[in-house]
Amino acid sequence: MIRALNSIYNQCIYVKKPQDIRDLLLYSKFWCDWIHEHHDEEEKLLFPAIERITKVDGIMEKNVAQHEAFMPGLEEFQRYAETTKPELYDGQQLRDIIDKFGSKLTVHLTEEIETLLGLESYDGPVLKEAYIKFDLELRKVKDA
Ligand SMILES: [Fe+2]
């Protein structure tokens, strides 16, 4: 996720041809859809399952708060990607939007690993089962 965002951040100021701009904006939109879906499903499916299995209320609360912290910036990025006409595209503007939420997202993605590793004292096989269910849900082909 971070690498894909980096690729957008690094290339966005160099694209000049209308077709390249359209492609970059579409790639950005796909990236936003991916992040949205991932975090929505975590909150709907995975985090409640982790709470149930560990029997610790709010064990994933910090992660949910971090989702909320980067969400406004992500939404601004998504709006820009979906509505900008190639002739009005400004790579620096796109970069400025990423600057507003990129570091919050990176902190979140980095710290979530620690949270997940912290679950090792709970029922591993049952947690793994919940994770597989979550992963299979994400892999389903969905209507656009
Ligand atoms: Fe997350």
Side-chain angles (χ1 to χ4, degrees):
M1 287 172 174
I2 294 170
R3 284 187 179 178
L5 184 62
N6 278 342
S7 71
I8 295 166
Y9 190 87
N10 286 332
Q11 298 304 319
C12 69
I13 55 168
Y14 298 112
V15 287
K16 302 286 177 226
K17 294 182 202 155
Q19 190 53 53
D20 291 344
I21 293 169
R22 267 192 288 274
D23 289 346
L24 183 94
L25 290 172
L26 188 61
Y27 174 48
S28 301
K29 177 195 157 10
F30 290 157
W31 184 87
C32 291
D33 289 345
W34 179 32
I35 304 298
H36 260 304
E37 185 194 32
H38 182 86
H39 292 102
D40 285 351
E41 292 297 331
E42 274 184 343
E43 289 184 23
K44 266 195 330 217
L45 210 69
L46 185 62
F47 293 175
I50 291 174
E51 279 201 9
R52 260 194 325 272
I53 295 161
T54 60
K55 299 182 178 65
V56 179
D57 282 342
I59 191 168
M60 302 305 283
E61 235 163 44
K62 182 181 167 197
N63 300 71
V64 175
Q66 288 178 341
H67 288 178
E68 281 159 19
F70 66 74
M71 211 45 90
L74 176 64
E75 273 160 13
E76 187 181 352
F77 182 36
Q78 184 143 18
R79 261 195 315 279
Y80 189 88
E82 289 177 354
T83 62
T84 303
K85 304 261 174 285
E87 55 276 18
L88 296 175
Y89 174 80
D90 175 349
Q92 189 54 52
Q93 196 182 345
L94 186 59
R95 233 181 211 196
D96 292 344
I97 293 170
I98 295 174
D99 277 332
K100 290 186 206 166
F101 74 94
S103 57
K104 288 178 190 152
L105 177 74
T106 306
V107 165
H108 167 65
L109 292 172
T110 308
E111 290 187 1
E112 201 159 67
I113 295 169
E114 291 305 316
T115 311
L116 295 172
L117 288 174
L119 298 173
E120 71 178 344
S121 55
Y122 299 97
D123 191 340
V126 178
L127 284 167
K128 188 174 181 185
E129 208 176 288
Y131 175 77
I132 290 169
K133 205 171 155 194
F134 160 73
D135 189 49
L136 287 174
E137 187 60 34
L138 286 177
R139 288 168 194 267
K140 276 185 193 162
V141 177
K142 295 178 185 133
D143 295 333

